[in-house]
C-alpha cells in the first residue's frame, strides 16, 4: 500500500515537472520568435518614397554601359535619400495605392496626361503626401542638346495641377542669370533661376499657404498634403556639394540636401513647415 502511494506521488511529481518544463520551453520559443519579429520590423523596413523625375538621379546620362560599370554610382542626392528611405522609381500612378508609398516626390517630372493629373490629384485628396520640385527654368547640365527627349525638362509641365490648386508658378525676370542664395528656414541654399508661387485668380480646390520668399507652398488638399518647391536646380551637386570645403571638412558646402531631407521628413510626420507666410 505504502509503495503504491509513493509510486503514485512520484509519478504525479514527475508529470508536474515535465509539464512545467514544457511550458518553459514554449515560453522561450515564443519570446525568441517575438523578438525576431519586432527586430525585423524596427531594423528592416525603411519608409517607402516614390520618385518620378526626368533628372539624372537614379540613372546617369551615360547610358546602360555607364550605369552597369563597376564604378557606377547614383547621383549623390539619390544616394542620400536611399540612406533613409526605400526609394521606388515611379513611372505612372497606377500602383500608387498598392505600393503604399509614405511620400511621393516629383522632381521636374515628365509631362502628365489629363488622366494622370486627375489620378494624382485624387491620390493626394485621399490622404497622399506629395513633395514637388518644379522648376520654371532648369539650369541642370546635360549631355544631350536642347530639344532631345532624353534631356531633363527645361520647364515644369505641371501648371494645370497647380492652377487646380489655386497657384501659379512664375519666373522673376531680375537677376536670374546669376547664382542665387536663398535664406530659408535659417539655412543658406544655393541655386539658380528659382521661381515663385503666386495666388491664381479663379476657383481654388486646395488651401495653399505660400512661405519662405514664395519658394515653398504648403497645400492642404482634401485629406492629403502637398509641399511645392519652385526650384529643382537646388538638387544639383554643382550648387551644394562643393569641392575645397568638402575635401577639408567632408561636409556639404551648402545645406541644400539637408533642407530637402527636412521637407520630406516634415510631410511624412505631419509637421508644419517653419517659415514666414507671404501668401493668403
Amino acid at each position: 500500500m505504502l509503495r503504491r502511494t509513493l509510486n503514485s506521488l512520484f509519478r504525479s511529481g514527475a508529470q508536474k515537472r515535465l509539464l512545467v518544463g514544457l511550458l518553459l520551453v514554449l515560453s522561450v520559443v515564443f519570446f525568441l520568435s517575438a523578438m525576431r519579429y519586432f527586430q525585423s520590423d524596427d531594423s528592416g523596413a525603411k519608409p517607402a518614397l516614390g520618385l518620378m523625375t526626368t533628372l539624372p538621379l537614379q540613372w546617369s546620362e551615360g547610358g546602360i554601359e555607364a550605369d552597369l560599370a563597376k564604378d557606377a554610382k547614383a547621383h549623390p542626392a539619390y544616394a542620400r535619400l536611399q540612406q533613409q528611405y526605400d526609394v521606388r522609381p515611379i513611372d505612372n500612378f497606377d500602383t500608387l495605392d498598392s505600393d503604399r508609398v509614405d511620400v511621393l516626390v516629383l522632381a521636374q517630372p515628365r509631362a502628365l496626361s489629363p488622366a494622370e493629373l486627375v489620378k494624382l490629384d485624387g491620390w493626394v485628396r485621399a490622404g497622399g503626401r506629395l513633395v514637388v520640385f518644379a522648376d520654371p527654368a532648369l539650369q541642370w547640365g546635360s549631355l544631350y542638346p536642347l530639344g532631345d527627349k532624353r534631356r531633363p525638362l527645361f520647364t515644369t509641365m505641371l501648371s494645370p495641377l497647380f492652377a487646380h490648386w489655386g497657384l501659379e508658378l512664375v519666373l522673376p525676370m531680375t537677376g536670374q542669370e546669376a547664382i542665387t542664395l536663398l535664406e530659408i528656414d535659417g539655412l543658406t541654399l544655393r541655386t539658380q533661376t528659382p521661381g515663385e508661387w503666386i495666388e491664381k485668380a479663379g476657383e481654388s480646390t486646395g488651401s495653399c499657404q505660400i512661405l519662405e520668399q514664395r519658394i515653398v507652398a504648403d497645400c492642404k488638399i482634401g485629406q492629403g498634403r502637398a509641399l511645392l518647391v519652385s526650384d529643382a536646380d537646388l538638387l544639383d551637386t554643382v550648387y551644394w556639394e562643393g569641392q575645397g570645403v568638402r575635401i577639408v571638412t567632408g561636409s556639404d558646402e551648402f545645406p541644400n540636401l539637408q533642407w530637402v531631407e527636412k521637407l520630406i521628413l516634415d510631410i511624412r510626420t505631419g509637421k508644419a513647415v517653419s517659415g514666414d507666410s507671404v501668401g493668403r
Side-chain angles (χ1 to χ4, degrees), residues 113-123 161:
S113 68
E116 288 178 314
L117 291 173
V118 170
K119 186 172 293 186
L120 177 60
D121 176 73
W123 179 78
L161 181 65

Side-chain angles (χ1 to χ4, degrees), residues 90-120:
I90 300 292
D91 295 323
N92 57 67
F93 305 128
D94 293 337
T95 60
L96 271 182
D97 294 328
S98 60
D99 286 345
R100 297 181 181 179
V101 297
D102 294 273
V103 180
L104 174 62
V105 174
L106 304 184
Q108 201 74 344
R110 62 173 175 80
L112 302 178
S113 68
E116 288 178 314
L117 291 173
V118 170
K119 186 172 293 186
L120 177 60

Side-chain angles (χ1 to χ4, degrees), residues 48 96-97 100-105 119-132 165 218-228 264 266-270:
L96 271 182
D97 294 328
R100 297 181 181 179
V101 297
D102 294 273
V103 180
L104 174 62
V105 174
K119 186 172 293 186
L120 177 60
D121 176 73
W123 179 78
V124 176
R125 292 184 184 282
R129 288 166 286 187
L130 174 68
V131 178
V132 178
W165 291 345
D218 190 351
C219 299
K220 174 68 175 177
I221 311 295
Q223 299 300 313
R225 183 182 176 197
L227 291 179
L228 312 179
I264 296 174
D266 285 349
I267 197 170
R268 185 172 71 83
T269 58

Side-chain angles (χ1 to χ4, degrees), residues 1-226:
M1 182 69 178
L2 178 61
R3 180 177 297 177
R4 287 198 301 270
T5 301
L6 291 175
N7 289 338
S8 176
L9 289 174
F10 177 79
R11 287 197 299 270
S12 176
Q15 290 173 352
K16 288 182 179 179
R17 288 194 294 273
L18 179 62
L19 180 60
V20 171
L22 288 174
L23 289 176
L24 288 174
V25 171
L26 290 175
S27 298
V28 171
V29 171
F30 176 80
F31 176 78
L32 292 176
S33 299
M35 288 295 293
R36 188 180 301 111
Y37 173 80
F38 287 114
Q39 286 176 354
S40 64
D41 276 359
D42 291 341
S43 61
K46 297 179 181 179
L49 187 146
L51 175 64
M52 176 182 281
T53 183
T54 62
L55 304 174
L57 296 178
Q58 182 187 15
W59 309 110
S60 70
E61 287 190 335
I64 296 178
E65 291 183 359
D67 291 327
L68 296 180
K70 292 183 179 179
D71 58 348
K73 295 181 180 179
H75 188 278
Y78 186 90
R80 186 82 63 88
L81 291 176
Q82 278 188 312
Q83 294 176 2
Q84 304 176 53
Y85 299 96
D86 174 15
V87 182
R88 304 175 182 177
I90 300 292
D91 295 323
N92 57 67
F93 305 128
D94 293 337
T95 60
L96 271 182
D97 294 328
S98 60
D99 286 345
R100 297 181 181 179
V101 297
D102 294 273
V103 180
L104 174 62
V105 174
L106 304 184
Q108 201 74 344
R110 62 173 175 80
L112 302 178
S113 68
E116 288 178 314
L117 291 173
V118 170
K119 186 172 293 186
L120 177 60
D121 176 73
W123 179 78
V124 176
R125 292 184 184 282
R129 288 166 286 187
L130 174 68
V131 178
V132 178
F133 297 92
D135 205 303
L138 190 75
Q139 302 300 307
W140 199 297
S142 175
L143 298 175
Y144 303 116
L146 290 173
D148 193 305
K149 293 182 179 180
R150 294 169 293 180
R151 186 184 178 95
L153 289 182
F154 172 70
T155 189
T156 182
M157 304 298 287
L158 296 179
S159 294
L161 181 65
F162 301 147
H164 187 56
W165 291 345
L167 293 174
E168 183 176 0
L169 178 60
V170 299
L171 178 65
M173 300 308 295
T174 57
Q176 288 299 308
E177 68 284 348
I179 299 296
T180 301
L181 297 181
L182 301 173
E183 296 294 333
I184 299 180
D185 197 17
L187 301 173
T188 301
L189 312 183
R190 183 165 64 175
T191 187
Q192 194 168 357
T193 64
E196 291 183 359
W197 298 109
I198 62 173
E199 300 85 354
K200 185 174 178 62
E203 181 181 357
S204 172
T205 57
S207 177
C208 297
Q209 185 180 25
I210 299 176
L211 307 167
E212 297 287 11
Q213 305 178 55
R214 298 189 175 273
I215 299 297
V216 181
D218 190 351
C219 299
K220 174 68 175 177
I221 311 295
Q223 299 300 313
R225 183 182 176 197

